Amino acid sequence: MSDEGLIDALRAAHGAAARAQAAEVFAVRELYRRHRAESVEPGPGGVRAGEFAASEVAVAVHADEATAGALIDIGLALEESLPRTRLAFEAGRIDLAKVRVIVDSTRGLSREVAGVVETRLIEVAERTEPARLRQAARRWAARLDPRGAQRRRELRQDQRDVRIRAVQDSMAVFDGLLPAPGAQTVAMRLREMSLQVCGQDPRTMPQRRADALVALADGSGRLRCTCGRGRRCANSGVPQQAPRRPLVQIGIPAESLLGTSEAPAFLAGYGPIDAALARTVAEHARFEVISEREESEEVGGAGTARWVRAVDGMCRFPGCVVPAAESEPVDGPAEEGSRTAGAGSYVLCARHHRLKVLADKGKTGWCVAPTDHDRLRWTAPTGGVHITVREGARYLFPHTDIDRPVGVRTGAEHSEPDARPLPPDRPTAVDLVFPVAGHLPVHLQLTRIAPEDEIPVTEPSADVY
């Protein structure tokens, strides 16, 4: 095949992928519409219209609920106010990334202005990439509707938020949407703190800014100099506040804590971190010893709640990563013959606890049932079965991680470290399949989809186990 033929095949494949994306968005939208029509029951004990449609979508396609909510929102926007964009998307002329730009860029515009801008944006979308398309949309909106700038800003400010996304190697991306003056205030404060250390500090400015952000959160309020010169440092006499205890929950095997093993630890809300990092965090931690719990042991009350949070690690709904410390224990039937307190219990975040309560009353179509001391079975309204396990126990007691790959030696002696430089952070699989990260819902009823956005009734404490 010639180069020209390969390019033609590439374009055809991309168009087919766009049509498949459109079919997925329209199917998600239709499922939401049906849920919305069937589940309206006013009052605190009822199901809000379409409330758990995103949950069903998320477990079906193995995505998070915020992504499912974004797909629903985009589908509704195409149906209600962007008919030309819907047709272009359905025909494969534009893909989901560009559709999202058009949806985002026309929100807050009058119907007349949105109609004019939509037509031109589709034309541009067919010959440019999403970043330039967004620039063109902002420019045209400002010119065609200059008086609407304040209205659009106020709408956008209502969506202010801060998010954390896990990436490789015990690192995370800290991302936020803030009003411009507030964001600039944060930026200038971080720069001010970055210049508080002496000139011999070896860190780059980006590294200093990152450390300064943590210093703001841990209560120390000042960046500590790492020049290593002791009293010879120009800042040695500056008083330093001791950092607060970490507001995180970490599960670490006893052997790893003592340094006799390098089995990974579990950072709730993130996932696995290396043992050395966990030991560093543990220097300022409060500890709670968690036993594996032999069948003969019996513990009740607060002890059982702490144990369940520790071994579960996170909310037990499929795909939910809300830390167990921010979730509440739910009593379930223990395995027949078991004397272990908490054997049938598990933790759920506020959103999924509500789902279970309504499911137990027969109002959602979901069914939740423990299958043994470790596994919890969720059956969706359409019959799909999803199993979750006690994630924290896999880290606290490594021998229980029976699903891990076998036949490979473990430990520091396993192989020589790879000397190649680490690649920069890449888009995740979700970013590539569902390019909707950061999408701001047009429909207010979809702004409470993400489990971490539910405000809990109580504020559980967070410890290091």
Side-chain angles (χ1 to χ4, degrees):
M1 182 182 293
S2 65
D3 290 354
E4 291 79 5
L6 284 174
I7 292 297
D8 289 341
L10 176 62
R11 287 172 176 154
H14 190 77
R19 289 192 292 273
Q21 287 176 328
E24 191 168 22
V25 168
F26 299 152
V28 169
R29 178 203 64 198
E30 179 59 26
L31 181 67
Y32 174 78
R33 289 179 59 188
R34 294 182 182 184
H35 276 250
R36 188 171 59 182
E38 296 170 358
S39 63
V40 179
E41 187 176 345
V47 182
R48 296 187 288 265
E51 182 177 4
F52 297 113
S55 302
E56 191 169 349
V57 170
V59 298
V61 300
H62 304 292
D64 60 79
E65 289 175 84
T67 295
L71 295 177
I72 293 171
D73 186 70
I74 290 171
L76 292 174
L78 294 176
E79 178 185 39
E80 296 169 358
S81 56
L82 297 168
R84 300 178 186 87
T85 305
R86 177 175 59 82
L87 292 175
F89 189 25
E90 197 170 24
R93 290 161 47 203
I94 56 176
D95 59 24
L96 180 57
K98 295 175 182 177
V99 168
R100 180 200 161 192
V101 172
I102 296 175
V103 171
D104 288 348
S105 301
T106 54
R107 67 191 299 266
L109 297 177
S110 67
R111 184 174 297 273
E112 179 183 4
V113 173
V116 174
V117 171
E118 180 193 13
T119 301
R120 288 289 292 122
L121 286 178
I122 294 171
E123 295 173 1
V124 174
E126 293 184 39
R127 61 176 188 270
T128 192
E129 69 277 2
R132 290 185 180 272
L133 179 64
R134 189 178 296 277
Q135 290 178 2
R138 291 169 59 188
R139 182 175 70 251
W140 294 337
R143 287 181 178 176
L144 294 173
D145 187 22
R147 294 185 178 180
Q150 179 180 348
R151 180 180 68 254
R152 293 191 296 273
R153 173 178 56 78
E154 291 171 349
L155 285 171
R156 187 71 67 173
Q157 284 181 346
D158 287 343
Q159 303 296 331
R160 58 193 180 276
D161 190 13
V162 171
R163 299 278 175 181
I164 299 175
R165 176 169 59 87
V167 294
Q168 291 294 103
D169 305 313
S170 301
M171 299 294 284
V173 173
F174 189 88
D175 191 16
L177 179 69
L178 302 172
Q184 194 63 17
T185 299
V186 174
M188 291 299 98
R189 176 60 175 146
L190 295 181
R191 178 173 176 79
E192 179 183 59
M193 294 176 65
S194 299
L195 298 175
Q196 290 174 341
V197 297
C198 82
Q200 300 300 313
D201 189 290
R203 290 171 292 185
T204 65
M205 184 60 78
Q207 291 169 342
R208 293 182 188 183
R209 287 197 299 267
D211 294 346
L213 182 62
V214 176
L216 280 176
D218 69 14
S220 55
R222 186 180 181 88
L223 195 60
R224 294 175 179 268
C225 188
T226 60
C227 68
R229 297 187 300 153
R231 293 185 177 180
R232 290 182 298 153
C233 175
N235 293 335
S236 61
V238 178
Q240 299 278 356
Q241 292 289 332
R244 299 168 60 192
R245 293 180 184 272
L247 299 177
V248 295
Q249 178 193 48
I250 295 178
I252 181 172
E255 295 83 358
S256 296
L257 182 62
L258 297 174
T260 60
S261 170
E262 293 301 315
F266 177 75
L267 173 58
Y270 175 87
I273 62 174
D274 62 271
L277 175 59
R279 287 192 289 267
T280 299
V281 177
E283 293 175 3
H284 303 284
R286 179 164 61 90
F287 292 90
E288 185 76 33
V289 177
I290 301 297
S291 66
E292 192 172 350
R293 193 65 60 87
E294 296 292 337
E295 288 297 310
S296 60
E297 296 182 18
E298 293 189 40
V299 179
T304 298
R306 286 193 296 270
W307 182 83
V308 172
R309 284 195 177 104
V311 297
D312 277 1
M314 61 178 68
C315 172
R316 292 288 296 277
F317 184 80
C320 185
V321 295
V322 172
E326 298 178 17
S327 305
E328 286 299 318
V330 176
D331 292 330
E335 195 174 1
E336 185 175 355
S338 172
R339 297 177 58 200
T340 303
S345 301
Y346 47 91
V347 296
L348 296 175
C349 68
R351 172 175 172 80
H352 297 126
H353 182 267
R354 173 176 164 79
L355 185 154
K356 181 192 179 297
V357 169
L358 292 170
D360 291 345
K361 296 178 180 179
K363 295 183 178 182
T364 65
W366 286 85
C367 180
V368 188
T371 61
D372 56 33
H373 71 282
D374 181 68
R375 298 178 182 272
L376 186 64
R377 182 179 65 237
W378 295 80
T379 304
T382 52
V385 176
H386 309 271
I387 303 293
T388 61
V389 299
R390 296 192 188 277
E391 191 72 17
R394 267 63 177 163
Y395 295 86
L396 289 169
F397 317 112
H399 67 275
T400 66
D401 190 9
I402 59 176
D403 295 327
R404 70 183 185 277
V406 296
V408 179
R409 290 182 298 145
T410 59
E413 76 286 354
H414 170 58
S415 62
E416 290 296 324
D418 191 342
R420 293 175 297 177
L422 293 175
D425 182 36
R426 306 289 188 187
T428 65
V430 172
D431 295 329
L432 297 173
V433 178
F434 302 113
V436 294
H439 175 76
L440 303 177
V442 176
H443 301 81
L444 294 181
Q445 69 268 30
L446 295 171
T447 59
R448 296 177 59 187
I449 289 297
E452 62 269 24
D453 292 342
E454 288 279 346
I455 299 177
V457 177
T458 59
E459 297 289 344
S461 62
D463 301 316
V464 176
Y465 295 102

